[in-house]
Amino acid sequence: MSISILGGGAFGTALAISLSRDGRPVTLWARDTSAMQGENTRRLPGHAFPASLRVTDDLALAARAETLLIATPMQQLAGFLAEKQTLFRRKTLVACCKGVDLTTGLGPAEIISRTVSSAIPAILSGPSFAVDIAAGLPTALTLAVKDGKALQAELSTANLRLYRSTDLVGVELGGALKNVVAIACGIAMGTGLGESARAALMTRGYAEMQRFAALKGAQPNTLAGLSGFGDLALTCTSEKSRNYAFGLALGRGITPHSGTTVEGKATAKAVSNSAKNAEIDMPIADMVVAVIDQHITIGEAAEMLLSRPLKEE
């Protein structure tokens, strides 16, 4: 099984390094390869490329592989697939992005299915930072695909352990929704509300994740796994998380860096709108959207959450 990674960001680069570390040939495609001379000096400096890793800016060349891991930002996925869909026919397309498309409200698996109907859609998600994967540190992820034993074996490495699931909806939503909660937790910590407040947001945010996932047809236990609870625990507690760091900056009154991809911003809006239409209660997601859009202050958001009617857990 030949493998290419499409997307030269930190996570795509880390996956390419991990998959090629044992000597198997892997291709990494990026639009701009000028910063990739032996390592990705722009996105993941300090992690050398294995000898078997080939870097190219030729998408047609990279797309010759049987399995394509797509590590583009979520909000660019639909356009990327639609523009070059002839290259992706009858391929196994593994989405490595997390989020919900703001325009369509779809997750990556559904976007793949609708855009490239002949492709086999899959999702790779779970608690992971690019620097840890690239450094060879132990990491466990979930691979969601309808029939994926061979793919699971092919994408597992000495430090990257994959667990298999057939619940594509649940896995993609776990990875998407935890980013919204991570922003909320970052805001809480940045503004000094404390670790107890963060724990409460994580717990009640997890309840929101479960409600929304159930609405969309996810299996009940999926979000208790790596792609849900595991990813939530990691991204709500570490400044390596772009979503948590974004919320932290907001809480501290600092303008977040505009060049960083923060998938939780668009996901929060998409999820909040969808939940309202379905009359599903998502107060944390709603507050995240209101704060980001500057409709309310952080203090007002905290007061609104704390003053909600008391109820059973």
Side-chain angles (χ1 to χ4, degrees):
M1 187 182 295
S2 52
I3 299 172
S4 288
I5 293 86
L6 309 183
F11 194 69
T13 301
L15 287 174
I17 290 172
S18 180
L19 289 167
S20 61
R21 189 174 279 128
D22 63 358
R24 60 178 153 177
V26 173
T27 300
L28 173 63
W29 172 83
R31 295 183 188 276
D32 181 5
T33 59
S34 60
M36 295 191 180
Q37 305 301 321
E39 65 178 61
N40 189 339
T41 57
R42 185 176 301 148
R43 300 294 186 182
L44 199 64
H47 297 279
F49 292 161
S52 61
L53 176 59
R54 174 174 60 174
V55 178
T56 183
D57 59 3
D58 185 342
L59 182 58
L61 175 64
R64 292 177 186 172
E66 300 168 79
T67 301
L68 306 178
L69 279 65
I70 305 176
T72 61
M74 178 62 206
Q75 301 308 316
Q76 298 177 19
L77 177 63
F80 176 70
L81 291 175
E83 181 183 2
K84 302 292 185 181
Q85 60 179 288
T86 56
L87 296 176
F88 305 137
R89 291 172 181 166
R90 293 177 292 279
K91 305 287 185 179
T92 297
L93 302 182
V94 185
C96 302
C97 47
K98 301 174 183 179
V100 175
D101 183 72
L102 185 55
T103 303
T104 63
L106 301 176
E110 187 65 20
I111 287 175
I112 290 172
S113 295
R114 293 193 181 191
T115 310
V116 191
S117 59
S118 63
I120 299 173
I123 305 289
L124 186 64
S125 188
S128 56
F129 289 137
V131 291
D132 293 344
I133 293 175
L137 299 178
T139 304
L141 300 175
T142 300
L143 174 68
V145 61
K146 291 304 180 183
D147 182 11
K149 287 186 177 181
L151 186 62
Q152 177 188 30
E154 188 67 22
L155 298 182
S156 295
T157 70
N159 69 293
L160 191 59
R161 180 177 174 83
L162 303 188
Y163 287 82
R164 194 174 68 253
S165 171
T166 58
D167 184 10
L168 279 81
V169 172
V171 169
E172 68 182 3
L173 283 177
L177 297 170
K178 58 86 187 177
N179 284 335
V180 181
V181 184
I183 292 175
C185 288
I187 291 172
M189 295 301 290
T191 201
L193 296 181
E195 294 185 354
S196 296
R198 175 170 61 182
L201 284 168
M202 289 175 66
T203 306
R204 297 312 305 164
Y206 184 58
E208 287 190 20
M209 291 169 61
Q210 290 176 310
R211 281 199 296 272
F212 190 83
L215 170 70
K216 296 299 183 179
Q219 296 173 12
N221 295 330
T222 300
L223 265 69
L226 290 164
S227 60
F229 177 77
D231 215 353
L232 180 74
L234 182 68
T235 53
C236 291
T237 58
S238 174
E239 292 187 38
K240 291 183 190 176
S241 162
R242 292 170 297 185
N243 293 277
Y244 179 77
F246 173 81
L248 200 64
L250 288 180
R252 291 171 175 170
I254 301 170
T255 302
H257 191 277
S258 59
T260 302
T261 299
V262 181
E263 297 286 15
K265 291 191 295 181
T267 297
K269 293 181 181 181
V271 165
S272 180
N273 290 335
S274 181
K276 287 175 183 175
N277 291 335
E279 299 183 352
I280 297 293
D281 195 24
M282 301 279 284
I284 294 174
D286 293 342
M287 291 305 118
V288 167
V289 173
V291 168
I292 290 175
D293 289 345
Q294 298 183 335
H295 293 159
I296 61 174
T297 66
I298 293 172
E300 289 170 338
E303 183 178 350
M304 291 171 71
L305 287 173
L306 289 170
S307 63
R308 284 166 51 79
L310 300 176
K311 62 179 185 178
E312 290 187 6
E313 188 171 27

